[in-house]
Amino acid sequence: MDTTVTKTNPLGTERIGKLILTFAVPSIISMVVNALYNIVDQIFIGQGVGYLGNGATNVVMPMTVIAIALSLLIGDGAAAYLSLKLGEGDEGSAARGIGCSISVMAAAGVVLCVLFNLFLEPLCRLFGATEDILPYAMDYGRIISYGILFSSIDSGMAGMIRADGSPKYSMAGLLAGCITNIILDPIFIFVFHWGVKGAAWATIAGQILNAFLYLAYIWRFKSIKLDKKCFRVSGKVMAKVSSLGISSFITQIAIVLVMAVTNNILVSYGAQSKYGAEIPLTTIGITMKVNQIVSAVLLGLATGAQPIWGYNYGSGQKYRVKQAYRIILAASTIMLVLAFLVFQLAPMSIVRLFGSESELYNEFAVKCFRIFLLACPINGLQMATGIFFQAIGKPTQATVLSLSRQIVYLLPATLLLPLALGVEGALWAGPLADALAFVTTLIMLKLYWKKI
């Protein structure tokens, strides 16, 4: 072990609590701001267009998540690779990992932009668009697809910049993009009367600004020096980077699969109920996006601790790794309990933000929050532990946890419970999957904690 690196780098010497505040707070703000992109659009669309417009954003969202999944596969993997290599004292490998990842990430964004434009209508139908919602989804999705390259850079480079020890810069880039979106949304929707198209243009304007700020950081990395050779694509380097980011990728792709199945189940069973097809589709989208804000805080805590976990694990300071994990888990649980109280006691205060609709709409929206998010207080364990394993270079364990909730538990429950419970069965799949994922994570921790 290179003890010189450990002594001079504050990640290996600074008090853990102080480090978590330094890294986690900007990371939380960054994650929340990123989640706000879609939330802001839905609030203004709900007020200016109506719930069919909001249904369209729910249909398009899986496409944006696919782009985010690829970005995080590369970006989170590169961030973990950077921290581990710096902990080992290998700056050259760290630089090659970052440069190569940026090149691949940009190429992936261009390819996705082309594919989404070519197959937009079948994708919208695949993700649950009804005939009434489809025109809105096409208008919104077409424009959103133009910004895929920029959103890919935003999602992928955020983690790299944080791992380099600049969490405030990472936060500032996202904040600048979100503020731009918030300012332009009401102008484009209410002043120019562009409807869902206006919301989409406001979104990608923010993403473009964010991307340029992040790209400007390429030559400002503090822990490594990037030259032209670093940006050459290497299959060997990308294999290692991707293995470290696979947990984030699977988590996001699982969200896409779950949303596709959930949207279609709700449309099918909703059409057989008093609520109709569009109300369940729209309200579950709002519920998931509001829950994304909560998840963003948890992810911000965990990804903020990622450099701390990775560096100290790489430098052999295992006791500091475990101490940071315990603090992150405690903070996550406190936050989730507070969110649970709001979801159960005051769901209409959230629903009203997205526009006033019929009594049936409000009734099902309240059911979504109270049922689907019933077990949210226990979600912190699975989320934090998955990123923890990823950060210390254990992608297999991280992948198992990423698969457990969404694919192994939530997807089958969403398909089976409606057979007995109708449209509400898709909502009860949420807490059931949360409980089973919680148990799975406890078992995983028991098996591997002493080996860390």
Side-chain angles (χ1 to χ4, degrees):
M1 180 180 70
D2 187 342
T3 54
T4 303
V5 175
T6 302
K7 288 179 181 178
T8 57
N9 195 313
L11 286 171
T13 57
E14 187 66 78
R15 190 164 48 88
I16 291 294
K18 184 177 179 181
L19 281 173
I20 288 175
L21 283 175
T22 301
F23 281 85
V25 172
S27 179
I28 290 170
I29 294 172
S30 297
M31 292 289 181
V32 170
V33 168
N34 201 30
L36 280 173
Y37 269 113
N38 281 318
I39 288 287
V40 167
D41 278 357
Q42 283 215 274
I43 289 174
F44 285 113
I45 288 172
Q47 300 290 340
V49 179
Y51 77 96
L52 291 178
N54 268 337
T57 67
N58 190 33
V59 166
V60 172
M61 185 181 176
M63 287 177 254
T64 65
V65 176
I66 290 172
I68 291 171
L70 282 172
S71 299
L72 295 183
L73 171 70
I74 302 165
D76 280 6
Y81 188 79
L82 175 65
S83 297
L84 287 167
K85 290 301 177 182
L86 289 178
E88 295 169 3
D90 188 357
E91 293 183 8
S93 293
R96 286 190 293 273
I98 291 294
C100 178
S101 297
I102 292 172
S103 297
V104 174
M105 189 168 56
V110 173
V111 171
L112 284 179
C113 175
V114 173
L115 290 176
F116 287 163
N117 266 284
L118 289 175
F119 302 105
L120 182 59
E121 182 172 344
L123 284 170
C124 287
R125 293 187 183 277
L126 175 66
F127 295 128
T130 64
E131 291 302 322
D132 288 338
I133 287 176
L134 184 61
Y136 296 96
M138 291 293 292
D139 286 344
Y140 185 78
R142 182 74 65 192
I143 297 167
I144 288 295
S145 69
Y146 299 149
I148 289 295
L149 169 61
F150 305 103
S151 65
S152 296
I153 293 169
D154 299 345
S155 301
M157 284 196 66
M160 300 181 198
I161 295 170
R162 284 195 301 270
D164 186 53
S166 299
K168 290 182 180 178
Y169 190 99
S170 177
M171 174 191 70
L174 279 169
L175 199 57
C178 187
I179 291 172
T180 300
N181 185 27
I182 291 172
I183 292 172
L184 294 179
D185 256 331
I187 295 174
F188 289 169
I189 294 174
F190 299 114
V191 178
F192 294 170
H193 302 291
W194 289 352
V196 293
K197 291 182 179 179
W201 282 118
T203 296
I204 67 169
Q207 291 169 345
I208 291 170
L209 175 61
N210 188 171
F212 276 112
L213 289 172
Y214 279 179
L215 289 172
Y217 188 86
I218 287 177
W219 310 115
R220 299 177 59 180
F221 272 92
K222 297 183 293 186
S223 59
I224 56 174
K225 291 183 178 179
L226 294 172
D227 55 33
K228 291 181 180 180
K229 293 180 181 179
C230 292
F231 294 93
R232 293 175 182 170
V233 176
S234 165
K236 184 178 179 180
V237 171
M238 285 312 301
K240 182 60 178 176
V241 166
S242 298
S243 73
L244 294 172
I246 192 68
S247 175
S248 296
F249 174 78
I250 290 173
T251 298
Q252 297 298 319
I253 289 298
I255 291 172
V256 174
L257 291 174
V258 168
M259 287 193 71
V261 171
T262 301
N263 286 354
N264 283 284
I265 288 289
L266 287 172
V267 166
S268 176
Y269 283 89
Q272 302 171 30
S273 73
K274 63 180 179 179
Y275 302 108
E278 283 81 16
I279 286 176
L281 175 65
T282 301
T283 53
I284 195 64
I286 290 172
T287 304
M288 286 183 172
K289 286 178 183 176
V290 170
N291 189 46
Q292 269 193 325
I293 300 294
V294 178
S295 297
V297 177
L298 305 185
L299 288 170
L301 279 166
T303 55
Q306 195 173 46
I308 304 169
W309 287 330
Y311 184 89
N312 285 283
Y313 190 83
S315 62
Q317 300 187 85
K318 307 294 178 62
Y319 69 97
R320 286 172 61 83
V321 175
K322 292 184 176 182
Q323 183 185 357
Y325 173 81
R326 292 188 183 100
I327 294 172
I328 293 300
L329 185 59
S332 297
T333 303
I334 291 170
M335 192 273 164
L336 283 168
V337 169
L338 294 175
F340 170 80
L341 293 175
V342 175
F343 296 152
Q344 296 300 316
L345 301 178
M348 275 306 299
S349 62
I350 303 172
V351 174
R352 288 192 189 96
L353 291 174
F354 299 90
S356 299
E357 301 292 345
S358 67
E359 285 303 314
L360 279 178
Y361 176 93
N362 293 340
E363 179 184 325
F364 197 83
V366 168
K367 286 178 183 289
C368 282
F369 278 99
R370 287 183 173 161
I371 298 174
F372 192 75
L373 303 178
L374 183 63
C376 72
I378 62 175
N379 286 348
L381 181 71
Q382 188 256 353
M383 205 171 290
T385 306
I387 294 174
F388 170 68
F389 279 130
Q390 177 177 290
I392 62 174
K394 296 188 179 298
T396 302
Q397 290 83 352
T399 300
V400 169
L401 292 182
S402 297
L403 283 170
S404 66
R405 182 189 183 272
Q406 305 282 40
I407 302 298
V408 179
Y409 302 132
L410 185 56
L411 204 55
T414 302
L415 289 168
L416 296 175
L417 290 182
L419 296 174
L421 302 175
V423 69
E424 289 184 20
L427 306 183
W428 283 106
L432 176 62
D434 290 338
L436 293 172
F438 178 79
V439 173
T440 302
T441 307
L442 285 178
I443 294 171
M444 185 76 75
L445 278 173
K446 185 174 179 62
L447 289 173
Y448 290 99
W449 185 254
K450 291 182 180 179
K451 299 177 183 179
I452 295 172

